[in-house]
Amino acid sequence: MTEDMNQIEVKNFEIGDTVTGKVTKVEEKQVIVDIQDSKLDGIIPISELSSLHIEKASDAVAEGDALELEVLKVEEDALILSKRKIDAKKAWEKLEQMFGKGEIFDAEVKDVVKGGLVVDLGVRGFVPASLVEAHFVEDFSDYKGRTLSFKIVELDKEKNRLILSHRAVVEEEKGRKKQTVLDSLAPGQVLEGTVQRITDFGAFVDLGGIDGLVHISQLSHEHVDKPADVVQEGQKVQVKVLNVDRDNERISLSIKETLPGPWANVAERAPKGSVLTGAVKRLVSYGAFVEVFPGVEGLVHISQIAHKHIGTPHEVLKEGQEVKVKVLDVNEGEQRLSLSIKDLLEKDVEENLDYELPEESKGFQLGEMIGDKLKNLRK
């Protein structure tokens, strides 16, 4: 063989050229690379291994790795190379496409820094604290190493600026879920929800992506002064859909209509002839309405208030007064309850007197008794 045939073709590389090489040695602060078509060794300083800060070279590469690199400097005995620059070029091209399409992608959180999170996408991506979650997070320390879904919200290649958002992904997903639930709702449906927020006028219930309002009047069959007296945040509740306003995304719900009505089983709770205690709720010309169970009022007709004749119920009763009543009749279907106060009252003493005299006082003896009384008066 001739000497020319044994010679290896050697290229002269310049700054900016792209070369391929194989890692032959990994030192703490640099990496030695065997460069194809070159007798010179390649050296990659630790600062040129990654877009992120690393403590040692082995955090980025290992012996035997095949790398595509850019020439930074040509020295007599070595080529100074950069892996970071090639990674960044490829990354920016891909990232620009993803940004343009609004793509969502998964990436690992490499570091937690002041003000947010750092992600390695071939270039350094930063997630400001306000764009991590849709809710406030006090401590991000446990986010390192976690894989999250991101969306690019700002990209400036010239300034090497890449801003990512996980919050945008969460809110988009929430919006899709919200719309799906909204489209599926119809008046009359009974669903399970979770009380999210309590206000003076009612409670907001999460239906799995969208909240509906249970107005204070729809919380219970009984009168409610404060919603917090009836429900608590985080409580699971059954609700009935009353109305759906899709244009304004407003949903009206009722807890009351999922509960047994106040008149349910009244015939068992207040059978004919039973005696109950109740409060006078209303007085009208023809009688008094007495609440015997929450939400259940029965009528005491004016004729059933007292034994004596009265012109109006106001003569003997007042609103709020507690009274005992006897059930005269109950009609659960028509929600009617007839009551009596009179049946539980004793008649006037005069009406209860028994004028029948003993046997020995009957007949002529009655006259004799009257005569004796007259004689005594003359004395």
Side-chain angles (χ1 to χ4, degrees), residues 105-134:
F105 55 91
D106 292 341
E108 181 184 342
V109 176
K110 291 294 184 180
D111 201 3
V112 176
V113 297
K114 183 179 181 180
L117 311 177
V118 174
V119 176
D120 183 13
L121 297 173
V123 295
R124 182 181 186 274
F126 180 62
V127 190
S130 61
L131 298 183
V132 177
E133 298 288 0

Side-chain angles (χ1 to χ4, degrees), residues 156-282:
D156 190 331
K157 182 179 178 180
E158 299 302 319
K159 295 181 179 179
N160 201 36
R161 181 178 175 83
L162 181 66
I163 305 300
L164 310 176
S165 174
H166 175 61
R167 176 178 177 174
V169 178
V170 172
E171 290 180 342
E172 280 188 19
E173 178 60 29
K174 186 177 180 181
R176 286 192 294 270
K177 196 172 182 181
K178 180 178 181 180
Q179 191 60 49
T180 299
V181 174
L182 189 62
D183 292 342
S184 70
L185 294 177
Q189 284 180 309
V190 176
L191 308 166
E192 183 178 76
T194 305
V195 178
Q196 287 290 94
R197 186 162 53 93
I198 297 174
T199 67
D200 291 339
F201 54 85
F204 287 92
V205 175
D206 177 21
L207 300 176
I210 189 170
D211 290 349
L213 173 64
V214 181
H215 189 265
I216 189 170
S217 63
Q218 292 295 328
L219 286 171
S220 174
H221 290 291
E222 302 176 32
H223 173 72
V224 177
D225 290 320
K226 295 186 298 181
D229 293 338
V230 182
V231 292
Q232 298 177 344
E233 290 184 4
Q235 180 182 346
K236 299 286 186 183
V237 291
Q238 292 287 317
V239 292
K240 183 177 181 180
V241 180
L242 300 181
N243 186 53
V244 181
D245 182 351
R246 289 185 171 81
D247 292 336
N248 296 304
E249 296 185 350
R250 292 179 180 173
I251 305 165
S252 298
L253 305 171
S254 174
I255 292 176
K256 179 175 75 175
E257 293 199 16
T258 68
L259 303 173
W263 286 85
N265 303 318
V266 164
E268 295 179 14
R269 293 184 289 157
K272 187 176 179 179
S274 61
V275 176
L276 306 170
T277 300
V280 177
K281 284 291 183 181
R282 289 177 294 136

Side-chain angles (χ1 to χ4, degrees), residues 299-319:
L299 173 64
V300 181
H301 190 268
I302 190 169
S303 64
Q304 291 295 327
I305 292 177
H307 289 288
K308 65 181 181 180
H309 174 74
I310 58 174
T312 67
H314 296 79
E315 294 178 21
V316 291
L317 296 174
K318 59 182 179 181
E319 291 184 359

Side-chain angles (χ1 to χ4, degrees), residues 28-142:
E28 186 176 358
K29 297 299 180 181
Q30 66 179 17
V31 174
I32 309 301
V33 181
D34 180 22
I35 305 299
Q36 186 178 341
D37 300 330
S38 175
K39 288 186 175 181
L40 298 177
D41 282 335
I43 298 174
I44 311 173
I46 190 171
S47 61
E48 293 298 325
L49 282 171
S50 173
S51 61
L52 303 182
H53 172 75
I54 55 176
E55 294 295 331
K56 52 186 184 297
S58 58
D59 291 338
V61 296
E63 287 188 16
D65 286 353
L67 305 176
E68 191 173 356
L69 307 160
E70 181 176 319
V71 178
L72 295 181
K73 188 177 181 181
V74 179
E75 297 183 346
E76 290 185 7
D77 56 350
L79 296 177
I80 308 302
L81 308 168
S82 174
K83 175 179 178 293
R84 177 181 62 83
K85 282 184 172 289
I86 294 294
D87 290 344
K89 285 179 182 179
K90 293 180 179 178
W92 282 118
E93 290 177 7
K94 184 178 180 181
L95 291 168
E96 285 174 339
Q97 292 178 356
M98 294 168 68
F99 182 46
K101 295 178 181 179
E103 287 185 21
I104 293 172
F105 55 91
D106 292 341
E108 181 184 342
V109 176
K110 291 294 184 180
D111 201 3
V112 176
V113 297
K114 183 179 181 180
L117 311 177
V118 174
V119 176
D120 183 13
L121 297 173
V123 295
R124 182 181 186 274
F126 180 62
V127 190
S130 61
L131 298 183
V132 177
E133 298 288 0
H135 57 273
F136 174 74
V137 178
E138 186 173 352
D139 183 9
F140 290 103
S141 58
D142 64 341

